[in-house]
């Protein structure tokens, strides 16, 4: 029996070794440092860094203080985005420095953190089994790649260590899995200059730093230029910051600006004033947000620490008031009261717990949404969100980024927002399929209409796209909007109209000089009456918002007010003949707007 037991044990060991070897062989590894395109998200100078995961360009060495330069090697705020249908994901990498600190765990200091988006744009967090050694490894297993609409996998975002320099990193998936690295996003970033709190101390994992949480909430690139103990509003650092084309600059340095024997409170006031003016010189219209000291958890019982934070907040208020008096516009202040931290919000009296990080992020989101004119509502149609409901036929992320590039290179005269009905029609950017190319060419090309139609889009997806720069940086003559049919089975008429109103407001904010034409929704098979009633509401909304309205879809109905099946490919999308009919109608209406 002993011999049989020993034989069985050896069999198990051999099988384990064989399966492990097979797993190693079966994994395909991606090294972002070897990518042909720029893939490190959150990097301000991606083509100028000395090492793949540094935050400052190599030319900053010797210009900024040595302490700042060394901290800029930490990967705080950097992440990698990719799409995969893998059932397991392995991350292996090496860092320089200690894995942990007394007040911050290894998972935050040196760990990575994996999030993913569903096909409806909702975030999900993934638990990984990790081991910390010379080479750190995270293994994410038992992943179900099936989504609500497809089994093509999903988009992932891997946050890198907050307090360590990454020497090298590889991401592995099974060889039979699809692995598509996603390039850096092109939307203007939020740029944060701050202290250890903004760098990420003492989050339990990288995704829980308030900057990471805020990035997910706003879904906008964020550049983390926070340096532990060294966020001091220094001219050399701000000179580099002014090189960036930001959506907004955030200055959250007060926790590192306490008065000392070498720095008076008046010095602090002058640092704030000069820093803001330094940015404003190069960026005359970009919003700037100053942030008060969030306080200390023991401030109520430690008189000196309480006085320190209160003095600094008085100084920043004075500086803010003086800057406004000097005529600087679009300068904002986030106050201690708005941050709303409690004694439970801190690890060591200074640095936030995960709860404190969330409180920071919530306060920041509220402030930035107001400043950037990106409000959200309470029903689904009023909450901006991405989607990936059919990623092969409609590469949503890629089309959005392509539009941003096209808009920068050549401004469109007319922007036509819609869903697959618009997407399928024709024009540019080119779609995989086009059912009405001749109609588009005959009726819309000469008017310089750009196709902002995205297959599967709902009202909330168009709202996201407008919030994320698709109408920024140019002046259009006309904006055409036909959206809402994909909300029909999910939302009431009132909810659809509420979302449309927010979209109209967002368009007017960004394109105040453009004529806005709201189109009625095309009829759908067996739902003609619902669409007709909804269009009555859309027409009334257009009147109330003082925008134009037209129902060009009426030509797709027969005499009994049912869809004319000969004009449709599937009861929803027009065929070539149907597109020719609506194309002529739209051409005439758009020409009226160009007179």
């Amino acid at each position: 029996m002993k011999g049989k037991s020993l034989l069985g044990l050896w069999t198990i060991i051999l099988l384990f070794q064989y399966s492990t070897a097979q797993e190693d062989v079966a994994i395909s590894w991606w090294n972002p440092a070897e990518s042909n395109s720029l893939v490190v998200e959150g990097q301000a100078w991606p083509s100028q860094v000395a090492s793949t995961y540094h935050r400052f360009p190599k030319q900053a060495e010797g210009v900024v203080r040595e302490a700042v330069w060394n901290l800029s090697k930490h990967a705080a705020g950097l992440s990698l985005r990719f799409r995969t249908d893998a059932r397991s994901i392995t991350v292996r990498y090496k860092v320089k420095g200690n894995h942990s600190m007394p007040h911050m765990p290894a998972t935050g200091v040196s760990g990575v953190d994996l999030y993913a988006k569903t096909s409806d744009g909702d975030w999900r967090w993934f638990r990984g089994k990790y081991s910390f050694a010379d080479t750190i490894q995270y293994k994410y297993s038992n992943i179900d790649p099936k989504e609500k609409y497809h089994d093509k996998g999903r988009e992932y975002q891997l946050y890198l260590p907050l307090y360590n320099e990454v020497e090298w990193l590889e991401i592995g998936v099974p060889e039979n899995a699809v692995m598509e690295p996603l390039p850096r996003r092109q939307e203007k970033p939020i740029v944060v200059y701050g202290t250890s709190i903004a760098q990420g101390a003492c989050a339990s994992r990288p995704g829980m730093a308030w900057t990471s949480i805020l990035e997910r909430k706003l879904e906008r690139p964020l550049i983390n230029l926070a340096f532990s103990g060294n966020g001091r509003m220094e001219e050399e650092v701000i000179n580099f910051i002014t090189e960036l084309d930001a959506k907004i600059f955030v200055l959250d340095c007060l926790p590192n600006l306490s008065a000392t024997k070498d720095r008076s409170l008046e010095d602090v006031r002058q640092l704030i004033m000069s820093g803001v003016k330094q940015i404003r010189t190069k960026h005359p219209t970009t919003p700037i947000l100053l942030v008060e000291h969030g306080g200390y958890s023991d401030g109520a019982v430690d008189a000196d620490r309480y006085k320190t934070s209160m003095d600094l907040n008085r100084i920043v208020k004075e500086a803010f008031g003086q800057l406004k008096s000097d005529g600087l516009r679009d300068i904002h202040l986030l106050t201690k009261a708005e941050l709303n931290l409690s004694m439970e919000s801190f690890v060591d009296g200074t640095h936030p717990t995960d709860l404190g990080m969330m409180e920071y992020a919530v306060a920041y989101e509220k402030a930035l949404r107001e400043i950037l004119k990106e409000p959200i509502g309470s029903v689904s149609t009023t909450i901006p969100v991405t989607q990936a409901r059919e990623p092969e036929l409609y590469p949503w992320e890629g089309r959005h980024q392509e539009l941003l590039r096209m808009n920068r290179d050549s401004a469109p005269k007319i922007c036509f927002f819609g869903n697959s009905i618009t997407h399928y029609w024709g024009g540019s950017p080119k779609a995989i399929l086009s059912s009405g190319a001749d109609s588009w060419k005959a009726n819309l090309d000469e008017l310089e209409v750009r196709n902002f139609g995205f297959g599967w889009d709902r009202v909330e997806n168009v709202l996201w796209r407008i919030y994320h720069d698709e109408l920024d940086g140019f002046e259009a003559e006309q904006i055409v909007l036909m959206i809402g049919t994909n909300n029909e089975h999910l939302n009431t008429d009132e909810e659809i109209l509420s979302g449309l109103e927010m979209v109209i407001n967002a368009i007017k904010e960004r394109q105040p000089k453009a004529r806005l034409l709201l189109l009625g929704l095309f009829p759908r098979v067996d739902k003609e009456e619902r669409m007709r009633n909804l269009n009555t509401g859309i027409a009334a909304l257009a009147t109330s918002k003082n925008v134009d309205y037209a129902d060009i879809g009426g030509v797709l109905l027969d005499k009994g007010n049912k869809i004319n099946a000969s004009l449709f490919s599937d009861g929803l999308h027009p065929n070539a003949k149907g597109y020719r009919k609506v194309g002529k109608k739209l051409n005439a209406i758009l020409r009226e707007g160009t007179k």
Side-chain angles (χ1 to χ4, degrees):
M1 290 295 292
K2 286 184 179 179
K4 289 183 178 179
S5 298
L6 187 60
L7 178 62
L9 178 61
W10 276 110
T11 301
I12 292 171
I13 291 171
L14 288 171
L15 285 171
F16 174 76
Q17 290 176 335
Y18 175 77
S19 65
T20 302
Q22 286 294 99
E23 182 178 302
D24 289 340
V25 170
I27 291 181
S28 176
W29 294 96
W30 170 51
N31 186 336
E34 298 173 356
S35 291
N36 294 325
S37 59
L38 302 173
V39 294
V40 180
E41 192 72 49
Q43 204 164 45
W45 296 271
S47 59
Q48 302 174 46
V49 290
S51 183
T52 304
Y53 305 108
H54 284 185
R55 291 183 287 158
F56 258 152
K58 55 193 172 190
Q59 56 264 36
E61 186 175 11
V63 177
V64 300
R65 284 185 302 106
E66 185 178 4
V68 174
W69 171 249
N70 289 333
L71 285 163
S72 76
K73 299 175 183 178
H74 293 181
L78 303 185
S79 63
L80 297 162
R81 297 167 60 245
F82 54 93
R83 179 174 293 280
T84 183
D85 60 356
R87 293 183 177 274
S88 65
I89 299 171
T90 304
V91 185
R92 63 187 184 189
Y93 59 101
K94 186 175 182 178
V95 299
K96 290 183 180 179
N98 296 326
H99 287 166
S100 64
M101 296 188 289
H103 62 327
M104 187 172 174
T107 50
V109 173
S110 304
V112 294
D113 211 2
L114 187 65
Y115 286 75
K117 274 187 185 179
T118 69
S119 51
D120 282 326
D122 298 321
W123 285 103
R124 297 288 185 267
W125 176 76
F126 280 74
R127 176 181 66 91
K129 292 185 178 180
Y130 47 82
S131 60
F132 285 80
D134 183 56
T135 295
I136 302 171
Q137 179 169 289
Y138 274 68
K139 180 68 179 287
Y140 303 89
S141 304
N142 302 317
I143 300 173
D144 182 0
K146 186 172 177 56
E147 275 288 320
K148 182 177 179 181
Y149 304 91
H150 57 79
D151 59 358
K152 306 301 181 184
R154 55 185 68 86
E155 173 192 328
Y156 290 86
Q157 185 162 358
L158 182 76
Y159 292 94
L160 302 186
L162 295 168
Y163 265 83
N164 239 321
E165 178 181 359
V166 176
E167 292 192 40
W168 60 266
L169 179 144
E170 293 180 323
I171 300 174
V173 298
E175 284 186 344
N176 61 355
V178 173
M179 175 64 166
E180 178 192 358
L182 296 176
R184 296 170 68 251
R185 294 169 291 182
Q186 298 177 69
E187 296 93 337
K188 287 188 178 183
I190 301 161
V191 176
V192 177
Y193 178 28
T195 70
S196 55
I197 296 169
Q199 182 169 339
C202 290
S204 63
R205 45 189 176 82
M208 284 306 298
W210 72 254
T211 49
S212 300
I213 300 170
L214 180 67
E215 181 199 25
R216 291 194 301 278
K217 283 178 172 290
L218 295 178
E219 295 195 308
R220 178 175 290 279
L222 186 146
I223 306 296
N224 187 327
L225 296 177
F227 309 106
S228 185
N230 287 275
R232 301 181 186 177
M233 293 292 293
E234 293 166 300
E235 180 181 355
E236 297 82 5
V237 174
I238 295 178
N239 273 337
F240 281 103
I241 290 174
T242 60
E243 295 179 4
L244 307 179
D245 187 13
K247 188 75 173 178
I248 184 170
F249 293 100
V250 176
L251 303 177
D252 190 352
C253 291
L254 285 190
N256 286 167
L257 291 175
S258 304
T260 66
K261 62 182 179 65
D262 299 316
R263 181 175 58 225
S264 69
L265 287 173
E266 175 57 24
D267 291 334
V268 174
R269 191 174 76 86
Q270 290 301 324
L271 282 171
I272 296 168
M273 297 273 292
S274 61
V276 170
K277 290 181 178 180
Q278 194 177 343
I279 292 172
R280 185 51 85 230
T281 298
K282 287 195 175 181
H283 301 277
T285 60
T286 305
I288 299 173
L289 176 63
L290 295 168
V291 185
E292 288 190 1
H293 194 306
Y296 301 109
S297 62
D298 59 349
V301 294
D302 189 318
D304 287 343
R305 278 161 68 84
Y306 177 79
K307 185 176 186 304
T308 294
S309 63
M310 291 300 102
D311 283 347
L312 288 169
N313 288 344
R314 173 175 55 81
I315 290 298
V316 75
K317 281 188 176 77
E318 290 176 4
F320 176 70
Q322 184 61 54
L323 289 164
K324 301 280 278 188
S325 296
D326 289 346
L328 276 73
R329 298 183 179 278
D330 221 351
I331 309 292
H332 308 269
L333 180 66
L334 180 59
T335 67
K336 177 180 184 295
E338 290 167 331
L339 290 172
N340 196 32
L341 304 173
S342 71
M343 68 176 183
E344 311 295 353
S345 306
F346 300 86
V347 169
D348 54 2
T350 301
H351 300 99
T353 58
D354 286 353
L355 170 63
M357 289 292 187
M358 183 60 72
E359 290 168 337
Y360 264 101
V362 167
Y364 266 104
E365 181 190 14
K366 182 179 179 182
L368 265 61
R369 285 201 178 280
E370 183 175 342
I371 295 167
L372 300 178
K373 307 294 192 300
E374 297 180 7
I376 58 174
S378 57
V379 297
S380 64
T381 55
T382 63
I383 302 172
V385 68
T386 65
Q387 59 99 346
R389 298 185 180 102
E390 202 166 352
E392 289 188 338
L393 188 58
Y394 301 114
W396 199 91
E397 158 96 3
R399 188 171 174 86
H400 169 64
Q401 297 298 333
E402 185 178 5
L403 271 172
L404 296 183
R405 284 192 296 271
M406 291 179 69
N407 292 346
R408 281 199 305 270
D409 295 341
S410 174
K413 286 188 177 180
I414 302 176
C415 309
F416 188 176
F417 283 87
N419 48 48
S420 57
I421 294 171
T422 307
H423 193 158
Y424 269 164
W425 199 327
S428 181
K430 273 191 113 173
I432 295 173
L433 299 175
S434 179
S435 301
D438 62 330
S439 167
W440 189 286
K441 186 174 183 179
N443 297 293
L444 303 179
D445 264 357
E446 62 180 344
L447 298 176
E448 297 184 44
V449 180
R450 185 160 292 165
N451 191 329
F452 285 67
F454 282 45
W456 279 98
D457 256 15
R458 298 172 185 157
V459 173
E460 57 268 29
N461 305 129
V462 171
L463 184 62
W464 188 98
R465 293 198 279 121
I466 292 170
Y467 281 179
H468 287 76
D469 302 1
E470 286 192 9
L471 287 178
D472 290 3
F474 64 94
E475 287 188 359
E477 293 179 4
Q478 300 187 63
I479 310 292
V480 183
L481 178 64
M482 183 173 67
I483 195 70
T485 195
N486 288 331
N487 294 89
E488 179 272 332
H489 65 296
L490 296 169
N491 300 103
T492 65
D493 288 6
E494 291 73 20
E495 290 171 341
I496 294 171
L497 293 172
S498 293
L500 280 172
E501 183 172 10
M502 287 190 70
V503 172
I504 291 169
N505 292 342
I507 293 172
K508 285 186 166 185
E509 183 67 41
R510 289 152 182 82
Q511 292 283 343
K513 296 180 181 179
R515 174 205 189 193
L516 176 51
L517 172 62
L518 196 56
L519 294 181
L521 304 179
F522 284 3
R524 300 179 60 143
V525 65
D526 298 330
K527 296 185 177 178
E528 292 90 346
E529 185 177 359
R530 171 83 197 276
M531 294 298 104
R532 188 162 50 250
N533 291 338
L534 187 51
N535 283 346
T536 299
I538 293 174
L541 175 64
T543 300
S544 70
K545 302 300 292 185
N546 195 30
V547 302
D548 292 338
Y549 172 81
D551 181 8
I552 64 174
V555 297
L556 301 173
L557 294 168
D558 61 20
K559 293 180 180 179
N561 281 328
K562 297 292 185 180
I563 71 162
N564 182 340
S566 69
L567 302 177
F568 285 83
S569 61
D570 56 5
L572 172 63
H573 301 91
N575 56 24
K577 185 179 178 182
Y579 277 119
R580 283 193 286 270
K581 280 185 168 288
V582 293
K584 289 178 182 178
K585 292 267 295 183
L586 183 56
N587 176 281
I589 295 166
L590 293 177
R591 285 187 180 280
E592 289 176 6
T594 60
K595 292 178 181 178

